[in-house]
Amino acid sequence: MSESLPMAGASAQVNAAGLSKNDYRGAPSTLCVGCGHNSIANQIVAVAYELNIVPENIVKFSGIGCSSKSPTYFLNRSFGFNGLHGRMPSLATGALFADVSLKGLGVSGDGDTASIGMGQFKHAMRRNLNMVYIVENNGVYGLTKGQFSATADVGLELKKQGKNLYHPIDICMEAMASRATFVARLFAGNAKQLKEVLKAAIAHRGIAVIDIISPCVTFNNQEGTYYSYTYGKEKEEPLHDVTFHFASDATQNTLTYVPQKEEIKLEADMVEGEIREVKLHDGSFITLKALEKHYDPTDRMNAIRTLEEAGDNGWLLTGILYANPEAPALPDLYRLTDSPLNRLTEKDLRPAPDTIAKLNAMMF
Amino acid sequence: MTEQVVNDFSITVGTPNGSGSSTANNTILRAIFKMGIPVSGKNLLPSNIQGLPTWYTIRVSGQGFLARREDQEIVINLNAQSFAKDLASVKSGGAFYYEDSIKQPIARTDIAIYPMPVKKIVREIPDLPANLRDLVSNMVYVGILAQMIGMDKEKIELALKFHFKGKEKPVALNMAAVHAGAQWAAANLEKKDPYFLQAMNKTDGLIMTDGNTAGALGSIYGGVQFVGWYPITPATSLAEALSEYLPKLRSDAEGKHTFAIVQAEDELAAIGMTIGAGWGGLRSMTSTSGPGLSLMTEYLGLAYFAEVPVVVWDVVRMGPSTGLPTRTAQSDLSFISHIGHGDTDSVILLPGDINECFEFGWKAFDIAERLQTPVYVVIDMDFGMNQWMTEPFRYPETPMDRGKILWEEDLEKITDFGRYKDLDGDGIPYRTVPGNRHPRSAYFTRGTGHDDHAKYSEDPNVWHANMERLKQKFQTARQYVPQPVLHGEGSPVGIIAFGSTDPAIEEGRYQMEQEAGLKTDYMRVRALPCTPEVGEFIRNHERIYIVEQNRDGQLHAWLTARNPEYATRFISIAYSDGLPPTAKWVKTAILEKEQN
């Protein structure tokens, strides 16, 4: 097992898990050049490397669509399951019971989540699956060549479709309504914020929904529309500057190969009152530096109000809208054996022979 | 009075649904069982919580025949709505008991009529609080019947102790009503019909339970680790039995569970979870019925193609569509055998009694993991929700077969792991599961075309070879599925059937031999694909009646498609109306064809 790990000290280009960036890569992307989804896949590779994650500790999931193809473009050494359209959450729910030390990393799209998958999406929130749930949201169906999705703006005009008659669904709002424990909205073009929030989402125990506005350069990139690249570039309004910090007692960080040690250094220009700290389950934490005004991501009502306001005004607010790191995740609600369920053997799984007579006696 | 008829009659009780009569009816069933007399009981109930007419029919048979009968010798009516129908249903010479506040005309003079002043009898039970009268009133007719046909009151008490899990107070209250009914009958009714019970020893050592409970318990001994399910009649009680017994039988020394159960938001999610867990290396199952199975279809196609082991119990109800949710049929066989779009084949287990529900419960996991494919266990409402006497459950006689699964140490010995490589030539590849920390363990599972390393491929040769391998795997399945059960030999006339028609066929064969001198050989198929014995049976019989409870003869179609050279030997006997089949139907249908 150790043979494929690089020799200690052999190269400077390995992380604390002894892995090089190559160990986190996937197959080459087959999506369009310039697709927002590719930059997200690249950031996942970078983040996993920087977090020293052992890829075997992550399980990838996806549904159907352009977004759902992307799990093959990162973390080759992680198991993955490309399921059915809109039904990634149920697949992940069952699979993550196999070994609850595994972390789910799901990638879906706006069609896959907000149209066909709305039911399963909301139940995944309600159950607080231990999974990062990325929605690569571009308001349009790509693989079937340019139909409106449920997140498309009302009044949007597309070449073959004409005008969109219906109001959009706000994925973050749906997540909030279903009591998601971590909700963020990001813009695929903002690499730094994407990276830091992704790290926080991975460290979060429970469901972490990241709705990433990820422009479709082929079918929905008209100047001035919400999902266009230029709109994001010009109008994105970050709620805060997010910085992820490793756990000071890093033995708690179960996904990484080796314990982390990092001294927290607050930037010199941060003064008290401007910085908000949110501690995550594994001891790591994020600092949020206020920008124009203070935003408290632990205030659920405020998150909902903020989303409502942004929706009404077409504001592309980005950042961590809500985080509740203390809520129990799905496996915490079950009283499972210490050993992963999928390592149990016949001895553990088949009741002893003497039970059968007792059982028969119970049958009248 | 004519000569006594002992241990050979049917009793049917007609009540309004939701009136609490099931305790009373089950008590009658269990008391007769404990008297050592072979007995079966069936709910013929509406899809309704309260109000509509419901019937419970009990077959008493010293000879051991347990199928439903069309003739009803004893009918008990406590429902004005079904009074006329129930009265008309009594066989000539039989007995009709009714609750005497129902005032409707009774024109029949060919049967014994017994009015029962149930309310009055209950009121006169000493020390019975008024608010409990309704609760125990059904036990009054149990007491009256006990007195009139000779049902042992000690056995009634045993049945009640079982029902109330030994709690003394409800047992005493209900027994008070039984005694009150019996005493009233002794003092006021004159026996005018010939039907009596007499204790035997033919149920010694047997147990009594329903197919859903047996299936759940078998699954537990099969090591089930994950259950994703959604409520649906008549499968709900299977998942509920898992919830009841798993914590008792499958907690470790510290009380920690070796399983997880999730009630899903719908069947789309139930099967998604089940497949996710099966993929993750857990022994994973769901239970459902027709409409649920329709919703699960797309995911099951993926599980077939991506080769994920799961066990799916289908407790069949009447379809198509919502159909008759509380009525029984064998009508999902065609649907399941090629479930999903594209070319598929399904491995189907077909228990033919309650004991086999237990046995196939644990075997299904071995077969699913060995073959890496969904395995369907198909029973029906009659098995699933009715109480049956059966042999005691037997502890699994073979160790678990976890199939071709590779862990870290196995991968150390392999230089090139390919998820879908057929290394053994049996069509079954090797698999790894998430949680395996070996750097070469992972692969990407997909419903899209894939090569033997699970990589996406549209190569025509790759597609074709993969589908042929899956077909070969289905042939391999023949080595692992249960063999058929054969009754009789040497007759040119054969019968092939499966599942819950068994009691009607056994009795029908007896009647055909007794009444028409027709001997038949009978093969009960216990799995699809069929093992070689079925082919041999087909070759060795001139005419083969394929008996089943559906409209189109679905097993007949399955066998015809796979044995076209013998198609002219097959004669379909297929009928479905929601009621469990009778020997009379089997006999009449076959004799009609034989005499033509």
Side-chain angles (χ1 to χ4, degrees), chain B residues 41 52 74 155 161 233 296 316 337 378-379 385 413 436 441 446 460 497 524 540 563 567:
Chain B
L52 292 180
I74 298 174
K155 308 297 186 200
K161 277 182 180 157
T233 304
M296 294 179 179
V316 182
S337 62
V378 179
I379 58 170
M385 287 183 68
K413 297 172 206 146
N436 184 327
S441 64
R446 54 176 84 243
R524 181 163 63 78
N540 291 339
N563 302 278

Side-chain angles (χ1 to χ4, degrees), chain B residues 252-270:
Chain B
D252 70 7
E254 296 165 55
K256 291 183 177 172
H257 294 168
T258 61
F259 62 89
I261 305 175
V262 182
Q263 184 185 326
E265 55 270 35
D266 53 30
E267 285 93 345
L268 301 169

Side-chain angles (χ1 to χ4, degrees), chain A residues 1 4 57 80 82 87 90 99 101 127 334-335 337-338 341-343 346 350-351 355 360 362-364, chain B residues 30 162 208 221 225 254 256-257 261 265 280 298-299 393 395 398 400 408 412 434-435 437 439 445:
Chain A
M1 183 166 173
S4 68
N57 291 341
N82 177 205
R87 278 163 277 170
S90 59
D99 179 344
S101 70
R127 295 195 179 99
Y334 284 74
R335 210 174 159 210
T337 48
D338 299 334
L341 287 183
N342 71 2
R343 299 273 179 172
E346 177 163 354
R350 177 163 283 169
T355 57
N360 280 319
M362 289 166 78
M363 296 295 116
F364 195 64
Chain B
R30 291 181 182 282
F162 175 80
M208 179 166 269
Y221 280 77
Q225 293 174 283
E254 296 165 55
K256 291 183 177 172
H257 294 168
I261 305 175
E265 55 270 35
E298 190 182 4
Y299 245 131
F393 300 137
Y395 195 75
T398 50
M400 281 184 188
E408 288 86 346
E412 277 301 296
R437 261 63 175 194
T445 306

Side-chain angles (χ1 to χ4, degrees), chain B residues 308-354:
Chain B
V308 180
V310 289
V311 172
V312 178
W313 279 74
D314 177 19
V315 187
V316 182
R317 65 192 226 183
M318 302 281 284
S321 190
T322 309
L324 295 175
T326 57
R327 300 294 180 152
T328 193
Q330 296 183 309
S331 50
D332 286 350
L333 205 61
S334 292
F335 175 42
I336 294 175
S337 62
H338 299 292
I339 200 164
H341 56 276
D343 292 315
T344 65
D345 281 304
S346 301
V347 176
I348 304 172
L349 307 187
L350 301 164
D353 62 37
I354 300 309

Side-chain angles (χ1 to χ4, degrees), chain B residues 162-292:
Chain B
F162 175 80
H163 181 83
F164 291 108
K165 299 187 161 74
K167 284 185 216 115
E168 279 173 27
K169 201 179 163 200
V171 172
L173 282 172
N174 280 281
M175 278 312 290
V178 170
H179 286 305
Q183 280 156 17
W184 176 86
N188 295 285
L189 292 181
E190 185 195 339
K191 175 87 174 175
K192 291 182 209 150
D193 67 85
Y195 300 105
F196 286 94
L197 294 174
Q198 217 168 71
M200 305 175 89
N201 59 2
K202 288 198 174 179
T203 65
D204 290 1
L206 301 183
I207 60 169
M208 179 166 269
T209 190
D210 59 87
N212 283 348
T213 301
L217 291 169
S219 304
I220 293 170
Y221 280 77
V224 63
Q225 293 174 283
F226 184 82
V227 185
W229 72 288
Y230 186 74
I232 185 169
T233 304
T236 304
S237 58
L238 204 161
E240 285 178 339
L242 285 165
S243 303
E244 182 186 346
Y245 289 102
L246 268 168
K248 294 188 178 101
L249 287 161
R250 290 278 301 285
S251 299
D252 70 7
E254 296 165 55
K256 291 183 177 172
H257 294 168
T258 61
F259 62 89
I261 305 175
V262 182
Q263 184 185 326
E265 55 270 35
D266 53 30
E267 285 93 345
L268 301 169
I271 192 63
M273 291 173 190
T274 303
I275 288 169
W279 176 74
L282 302 187
R283 296 204 138 185
S284 181
M285 71 181 286
T286 189
S287 56
T288 190
S289 190

Side-chain angles (χ1 to χ4, degrees), chain A residues 41-86:
Chain A
N42 292 337
Q43 292 308 330
I44 292 171
V45 172
V47 160
Y49 175 80
E50 287 173 25
L51 286 181
N52 308 308
I53 282 173
V54 175
E56 287 75 24
N57 291 341
I58 298 276
V59 188
K60 305 177 287 183
F61 298 97
S62 63
I64 296 290
C66 292
S67 59
S68 296
K69 291 168 76 165
S70 71
T72 50
Y73 312 147
F74 55 82
L75 303 184
N76 251 351
R77 278 178 46 179
S78 301
F79 276 85
F81 200 149
N82 177 205
L84 292 185
H85 203 13

Side-chain angles (χ1 to χ4, degrees), chain B residues 83-112:
Chain B
F83 185 90
K85 189 178 171 187
D86 289 353
L87 176 62
S89 73
V90 185
K91 191 184 170 188
S92 193
F96 183 67
Y97 298 78
Y98 71 102
E99 209 269 285
D100 74 349
S101 66
I102 302 171
K103 307 288 183 204
Q104 291 191 29
I106 299 173
R108 291 189 67 172
T109 54
D110 61 330
I111 57 175

Side-chain angles (χ1 to χ4, degrees), chain A residues 121-151:
Chain A
F121 172 71
K122 293 182 73 98
H123 285 274
M125 307 297 115
R126 179 183 160 239
R127 295 195 179 99
N128 204 20
L129 296 193
N130 188 21
M131 176 165 100
V132 178
Y133 189 125
I134 294 170
V135 185
E136 298 180 341
N137 186 355
N138 54 20
V140 73
Y141 284 77
L143 273 184
T144 51
K145 298 187 189 287
Q147 296 76 31
F148 297 119
S149 86
T151 63

